[in-house]
Amino acid sequence: MEKFYITTPIYYPSGKFHIGTAYTTTLADTIRRYKKLRGFDTFMLTGTDEHGQKIETVAKEHGKTPKEHVDEMAQMAKDLWNLMNIKYDYFIRTTEPRHEKAVQDIFEYFLQKGDIYKGEYEGWYCMPCETYFTETQLVDGKCPDCGRDVRLMKEEAYFFNMKKYVDKLLKYYDEHPDFIQPEYRKTEMINNFIKPGLEDLCVTRTTFDWGIKVKSDPKHVIYVWLDALTNYVTALGYKQEDDSLYRKLWPADLQIVGKDIARFHLIYWPIFLMALDLPLPKKILVHNFIMMKDGKMSKSKGNVVYPEKLISRYGVDATRYFLLREMQTSQDGLYTPESFIERYNSDLCNDLGNLVNRTVSMVNKYFEGNVPEYNGTPNEVDKEFEEFTNSQIKKVEKLIDKYEIADALKSIPTPVEEAVVEEQIVEEPKVEQVVAAEQQYANETTFEAKPSLWQRIKNSKIVRAVKAITRIRIVLDYSDALPEGRGENNQ
Ligand code: MSP
């Protein structure tokens, strides 16, 4: 069986996750389900990125130790993914001793190789926040978090020599046109970060404690990105005694990240892997943002939407559907309560919901709850519908294979609408159809209880409708709407 290793970013457990964070994981889970249905041996990794100054500060604000805080938050994340029907194969926490040890070893290896060197970090430091900012992060020359004055300060720090690998990276981009999706993100990286001259990356700090210590120089803490990015391989056992999963699964087939962390995954991550002499992931998919009417979601604006609320009101499938349907790969999606309700009412209740309900009730009414066997195409109308549905299925599959999930969902309603029309014919037969069916019945030469033509029409149309619904379940898990196990054999 061919393997398919898919990863999400590991999330900062600084606060409750909103629908933007939930989007990345829902997208990954959807692709995982699809690949599994297509016969792949899938493995999905998610987790939490638990070190750093912000976590230390948030924990303090809550009167907790960082460890107590991240333990609670990791559980919160697991509960949310469970609520959202998201299944992962491993949940990595960067505070796991095996990850910490592997990161320390990687650091020492880079140090020995000369890829990491000691230098001086200079930045704008905010005393009350105990945080460095770059010039561009400042707001009117003040701290972007608390608005107070900042001071230009220097500290001893370790740097990763990014410049050494730039040409190799550009060559890799060139030779692997499928590495980054969508392609314009690659152009963005080249124009915005590489052409102006890639800076070496500062990989340690001495101003806070909550992090992995450098083995050979423990007053330094490994700064978040080297710690965070390597999770994708340490979770599989890389640099550990049992590395069988690593050997089976690496390189990843798909790594999904949001646009705000594209730079770290498209430049630094490939360079770290090159420095380790490891193969690069086959594809990194960068998605856009879910926006609010007044811009980005943020606590200070008070416009944050949490998935639990939508789920308790509208259910998990509707919430997943909205997130996936609203976000095109290359464009930001917009959340408004109105757009959510509109999708819920028109796409799900009117079209899909009605079709599912009527089909299930017909299966119960005419076939004692068993999906009848499909015996071939009995008439022209059916044939046309079958051909149409099959061609739409191909289209949907192609789109999902390209990870264009919103577009794939957009093409599903067409067969659903068709199926609704078909199924209405079954429920409300036209007089001529009944007469024709009766006629056929009367012409049957034996009086044995053979199914009449009408019965056969009904039979095949219901099978079609069930088929259409089971296909849709590839994207939305509607198993609860169908009697258990029904429809599985009819795909
Ligand atoms: N910890 C880092 C990632 C390290 S990966 C080695 C991080 N964490 S995060 O919690 O801030 O963000 C995680 C993911 O959520 C990112 O992919 C980010 O793009 C995504 N989103 C956060 N807000 C979002 C929206 N409003 N819309 C869509 N996705 C968004 O960054």
Side-chain angles (χ1 to χ4, degrees):
M1 228 197 265
E2 203 179 329
K3 63 95 183 169
F4 188 81
Y5 175 38
I6 180 167
T7 68
T8 73
I10 47 171
Y11 303 99
Y12 287 132
S14 43
K16 267 180 70 171
F17 295 173
H18 57 55
I19 53 169
T21 318
Y23 170 73
T24 316
T25 331
T26 307
L27 179 64
D29 181 60
T30 304
I31 295 170
R32 175 196 64 78
R33 287 174 189 226
Y34 175 76
K35 287 288 174 184
K36 196 169 177 154
L37 283 167
R38 299 303 296 261
F40 284 82
D41 179 11
T42 57
F43 191 98
M44 175 162 145
L45 178 73
T46 192
T48 36
D49 186 0
E50 303 189 348
H51 292 125
Q53 180 148 28
K54 180 123 193 241
I55 303 290
E56 201 177 69
T57 314
V58 172
K60 214 187 253 170
E61 278 166 17
H62 289 92
K64 300 204 164 95
T65 65
K67 179 76 170 85
E68 281 165 355
H69 172 77
V70 294
D71 283 352
E72 270 174 32
M73 295 304 286
Q75 192 52 49
M76 178 281 300
K78 288 179 185 171
D79 291 344
L80 177 61
W81 305 145
N82 188 31
L83 180 71
M84 294 194 74
N85 278 343
I86 286 166
K87 292 194 182 71
Y88 45 83
D89 297 277
Y90 192 72
F91 189 103
I92 173 95
R93 298 182 54 188
T94 51
T95 48
E96 280 173 45
R98 70 185 187 114
H99 169 80
E100 295 189 341
K101 185 174 175 305
V103 172
Q104 283 180 326
D105 291 348
I106 291 171
F107 193 98
E108 292 302 317
Y109 173 70
F110 287 158
L111 207 54
Q112 274 161 27
K113 257 185 101 189
D115 285 347
I116 282 182
Y117 61 90
K118 204 186 246 185
E120 251 182 357
Y121 179 79
E122 189 179 59
W124 294 95
Y125 192 74
C126 173
M127 291 294 207
C129 296
E130 294 178 12
T131 307
Y132 273 109
F133 297 100
T134 60
E135 181 100 39
T136 49
Q137 285 174 319
L138 301 180
V139 177
D140 299 328
K142 310 250 177 203
C143 169
D145 285 350
C146 71
R148 279 180 269 208
D149 286 340
V150 287
R151 278 193 8 216
L152 195 59
M153 276 177 57
K154 276 186 189 167
E155 66 167 302
E156 182 188 274
Y158 287 90
F159 287 82
F160 187 96
N161 186 352
M162 290 289 163
K163 294 186 191 83
K164 177 173 162 191
Y165 292 93
V166 168
D167 290 342
K168 204 170 166 191
L169 180 69
L170 287 172
K171 186 158 176 274
Y172 192 89
Y173 281 174
D174 235 26
E175 288 170 356
H176 299 83
D178 291 335
F179 177 50
I180 297 171
Q181 186 179 322
E183 215 194 330
Y184 74 86
R185 293 282 175 204
K186 176 173 76 187
T187 321
E188 227 171 63
M189 291 301 123
I190 296 175
N191 291 341
N192 299 354
F193 303 106
I194 299 178
K195 274 197 188 151
L198 188 61
E199 297 287 322
D200 287 348
L201 182 74
C202 178
V203 286
T204 58
R205 288 287 194 275
T206 49
T207 46
F208 63 90
D209 232 17
W210 181 240
I212 304 173
K213 300 219 174 341
V214 175
K215 223 186 197 166
S216 55
D217 194 356
K219 75 170 191 289
H220 290 265
V221 158
I222 299 175
Y223 189 55
V224 288
W225 284 100
L226 182 61
D227 170 3
L229 287 164
T230 47
N231 91 87
Y232 302 127
V233 287
T234 61
L236 305 178
Y238 177 68
K239 285 232 187 262
Q240 293 150 62
E241 206 168 304
D242 180 4
D243 65 354
S244 49
L245 266 183
Y246 166 77
R247 278 186 280 114
K248 175 181 167 194
L249 296 170
W250 193 258
D253 296 271
L254 183 65
Q255 301 208 262
I256 303 182
V257 300
K259 62 178 178 181
D260 57 331
I261 52 173
R263 174 161 61 110
F264 302 100
H265 285 82
L266 303 181
I267 298 178
Y268 302 140
W269 178 223
I271 288 183
F272 286 152
L273 288 168
M274 284 172 175
L276 288 167
D277 262 326
L278 299 182
L280 268 50
K282 292 188 193 146
K283 190 184 278 297
I284 300 185
L285 175 68
V286 181
H287 67 70
N288 283 42
F289 261 39
I290 297 190
M291 304 295 281
M292 300 289 128
K293 261 195 219 145
D294 53 351
K296 263 179 106 167
M297 247 183 287
S298 84
K299 272 196 194 148
S300 53
K301 279 191 198 159
N303 62 358
V304 180
V305 178
Y306 296 104
E308 291 89 345
K309 191 142 191 193
L310 294 177
I311 292 168
S312 74
R313 258 188 220 167
Y314 305 104
V316 66
D317 286 331
T319 306
R320 287 175 63 114
Y321 176 77
F322 177 85
L323 294 175
L324 296 169
R325 175 65 183 77
E326 219 50 36
M327 283 278 288
Q328 304 285 332
T329 333
S330 46
Q331 218 167 300
D332 286 338
L334 184 68
Y335 171 90
T336 63
E338 297 79 17
S339 59
F340 191 100
I341 301 290
E342 173 62 22
R343 289 254 164 257
Y344 186 80
N345 282 342
S346 93
D347 299 9
L348 298 180
C349 297
N350 291 348
D351 290 347
L352 184 59
N354 273 344
L355 177 67
V356 173
N357 272 340
R358 297 176 75 155
T359 306
V360 170
S361 84
M362 281 191 290
V363 170
N364 286 332
K365 190 158 145 197
Y366 300 119
F367 301 99
E368 289 156 4
N370 294 309
V371 175
E373 215 173 291
Y374 175 52
N375 297 322
T377 311
N379 62 35
E380 271 309 300
V381 186
D382 255 14
K383 198 162 166 242
E384 252 174 53
F385 179 58
E386 179 162 31
E387 283 168 3
F388 171 72
T389 308
N390 284 340
S391 72
Q392 287 297 109
I393 289 170
K394 290 244 155 55
K395 203 168 142 192
V396 168
E397 284 171 354
K398 261 200 196 137
L399 287 165
I400 304 186
D401 282 332
K402 290 197 286 175
Y403 308 126
E404 305 278 4
I405 308 296
D407 285 344
L409 281 168
K410 234 199 261 174
S411 358
I412 289 176
T414 341
V416 171
E417 282 153 19
E418 284 280 320
V420 171
V421 174
E422 291 272 308
E423 166 241 26
Q424 274 164 356
I425 300 173
V426 178
E427 280 287 82
E428 296 137 26
K430 292 204 182 89
V431 175
E432 319 82 82
Q433 285 177 304
V434 179
V435 172
E438 294 294 315
Q439 194 65 46
Q440 172 78 15
Y441 191 76
N443 289 343
E444 304 263 358
T445 46
T446 77
F447 288 104
E448 284 164 35
K450 269 192 179 176
S452 69
L453 173 65
W454 177 231
Q455 186 65 31
R456 272 181 277 157
I457 293 175
K458 243 183 349 194
N459 181 322
S460 84
K461 281 182 179 157
I462 288 173
V463 172
R464 293 291 142 61
V466 172
K467 269 180 113 177
I469 293 163
T470 16
R471 286 286 167 179
I472 292 158
R473 278 179 40 202
I474 289 173
V475 182
L476 297 168
D477 197 356
Y478 265 85
S479 48
D480 291 339
L482 284 173
E484 211 176 338
R486 305 273 156 73
E488 292 295 349
N489 304 327
N490 293 298
Q491 287 195 51

